[in-house]
Amino acid sequence: MDKLRIIGNGPLNGEIKISGAKNAALPLMCAGLLTADTLYLRNVPMLADVKTTQKLLQGMGVRVFTDNISEFEINGSAVNNTCAPYDLVKTMRASILVLGPTLARFGEAQVSLPGGCAIGSRPVDQHLKGLETMGAEIVIEHGYVKAKAPGGKLKGARVVMDMVTVGGTENLLMAATLAEGTTILDNCAVEPEVVDLAECLVKMGAKIQGIGTATMVVEGVDKLHGCEHSVVPDRIEAGTFLCAVAMTGGKVVLRHAAPKTMDAVLDKLVEAGAVIEAGDDWISIDMRQRPKAVNIRTVPHPGFPTDMQAQFMAVNAVAEGSSRVVETIFENRFMHIPELNRMGADISAEGNTAVVNGVARLSGATVMATDLRASACLVIAGLVAEGETTVERLYHLDRGYEHIERKLSAVGAKIERITA
Ligand code: EPZ
């Protein structure tokens, strides 16, 4: 298994190009199931999860072509299998996003129930409840969700989600575009990746009102057509690099970024003492001092994102002062704490609240990643730790970051991938 070897080094300086957002690319690829035309996607990050989604769609008969750099052509004219198998779904929970579009277009779908993962049980009850409200008949059998739409079509309905769910909103939004009649989705997630999907669906001919708000109204249409769409820049990748500079000091400019999707994170970095400037598609950070400790509470967008919690905890670990980090979205998203403490951090957690007492220096160690963002947190901690840090189980990191070691070494980090 690959590892990253990192030597604690000085400030980072230079430019980094941000990739397209993983959490937008995955639902956008699944939207290809909604039409017999071709969906052209650009700015797609070449990540493990994108390749898994490609395999999943191809297994259903979707024609998928890619330049293996950043472009995909997805054509759903020859879909001949409405089943998403366990062996793929178990490697990527987001496979559940084929359920809504497949059921809406073909009147039936069988998707292996995604298990939990390291950060929590991650149920999909809201996805299923919403589809049943739209007329679907759903049974759970042998670990599979088996769904049918009577008469082959879902019916427009009013769906109120019990909590803000990104995947639930995306699945139900895609299903509603081809339902008979009008669907009102209430308590929607408004994450930029949900907005990006909705904007692409409108380009495909969907009729959606209220994009970017908690209530979307979707007037079902008979069919959707293809379109061209560029994936929104990855705000979490961008936030991860900004946290790295907040820890190491230096001046870095992020290109192809989307600062307008990152207000909460940028505000917290300014509070920590960073000088941030931003234009339409770039963000610069200038960090000339040790960061100041900053309290964090993760909430749905536009609040502080749960996917940035681990990375900001690394900043707080070396900050001046103490801070509290409260994780309100997932029940088990503090697994980076014991690994940071092995690097000399002083963090204690009780329930969903962690208290972080900043220390002047971390010390390099061999650490183990347990989930995607915990991995990123350990990598950026290694950039400032004294001596050598080895981050193991890189398959987590490779699911969400495109060439992270290349991007970081280009701005002065001492980091290399060791392929075992
Ligand atoms: C998406 O996951 C992202 N993944 C996650 O990013 C992100 O952390 C999460 O949204 C929250 O922003 C993708 O977009 C592929 P949710 P998702 O449904 O859709 C509960 C990363 O690191 N819930 O918004 O699975 C759930 O348990 C990943 O890039 C139910 O109870 O998240 C959680 O507590 C990690 N029932 C909360 O809602 C449901 O039916 C939010 O989950 C659905 C969700």
Side-chain angles (χ1 to χ4, degrees), residues 42-351:
R42 292 193 307 279
N43 198 34
V44 182
M46 276 305 135
L47 299 167
D49 277 5
V50 167
K51 301 307 277 179
T52 303
T53 305
Q54 175 181 354
K55 257 193 283 189
L56 176 65
L57 293 174
Q58 286 171 327
M60 297 173 75
V62 179
R63 294 198 186 104
V64 184
F65 302 101
T66 175
D67 63 357
N68 279 313
I69 299 170
S70 64
E71 312 228 335
F72 272 82
E73 285 181 26
I74 298 171
N75 180 290
S77 59
V79 171
N80 53 15
N81 169 17
T82 57
C83 176
Y86 172 72
D87 63 322
L88 283 175
V89 176
K90 76 179 177 193
T91 66
M92 188 189 67
R93 303 187 64 268
S95 308
I96 192 69
L97 292 172
V98 303
L99 177 62
T102 305
L103 181 59
R105 176 145 172 252
F106 302 103
E108 60 164 34
Q110 304 81 36
V111 179
S112 170
L113 257 182
C117 74
I119 64 177
S121 64
R122 313 223 17 214
V124 291
D125 56 296
Q126 299 298 309
H127 302 233
L128 305 186
K129 184 191 99 172
L131 292 171
E132 284 176 330
T133 307
M134 295 167 74
E137 290 163 2
I138 295 177
V139 294
I140 309 285
E141 242 172 36
H142 310 303
Y144 276 77
V145 175
K146 296 186 175 178
K148 274 193 181 317
K153 293 291 273 183
L154 292 171
K155 303 279 182 288
R158 180 161 184 266
V159 178
V160 185
M161 284 165 272
D162 296 354
M163 84 288 296
V164 173
T165 156
V166 169
T169 302
E170 291 167 342
N171 236 336
L172 297 176
L173 177 63
M174 287 191 278
T177 60
L178 294 179
E180 261 166 7
T182 301
T183 298
I184 299 170
L185 298 176
D186 243 332
N187 201 17
C188 292
V190 295
E191 271 67 3
E193 296 74 29
V194 176
V195 170
D196 202 40
L197 172 66
E199 288 173 348
C200 179
L201 291 170
V202 166
K203 283 199 263 186
M204 294 169 71
K207 293 189 167 52
I208 305 171
Q209 301 295 323
I211 295 175
T213 75
T215 303
M216 283 194 277
V217 180
V218 187
E219 192 188 325
V221 294
D222 285 343
K223 64 180 189 167
L224 295 179
H225 50 73
C227 78
E228 289 199 19
H229 187 78
S230 183
V231 178
V232 67
D234 194 321
R235 62 195 167 105
I236 306 301
E237 184 197 27
T240 302
F241 291 131
L242 292 173
C243 284
V245 180
M247 297 168 76
T248 63
K251 183 166 181 166
V252 167
V253 180
L254 304 183
R255 300 283 180 202
H256 297 259
K260 292 189 183 68
T261 64
M262 300 178 63
D263 288 347
V265 171
L266 299 181
D267 290 351
K268 287 293 177 185
L269 286 162
V270 169
E271 197 181 328
V275 176
I276 299 276
E277 289 180 286
D280 277 349
D281 64 352
W282 61 270
I283 304 167
S284 83
I285 179 168
D286 190 352
M287 191 71 176
R288 303 195 191 112
Q289 63 184 65
R290 181 179 173 191
K292 294 194 280 279
V294 172
N295 292 330
I296 298 290
R297 179 184 183 84
T298 67
V299 289
H301 195 76
F304 190 91
T306 175
D307 291 350
M308 280 298 306
Q309 179 257 108
Q311 297 92 309
F312 223 99
M313 193 177 284
V315 178
N316 277 336
V318 295
E320 205 174 313
S322 295
S323 56
R324 289 163 62 83
V325 177
V326 183
E327 171 59 58
T328 74
I329 306 293
F330 290 110
E331 62 265 35
N332 187 31
R333 205 169 196 176
F334 279 160
M335 286 165 297
H336 39 287
I337 291 177
E339 296 304 296
L340 283 172
N341 286 341
R342 294 186 55 248
M343 296 175 74
D346 175 4
I347 307 172
S348 55
E350 191 146 337

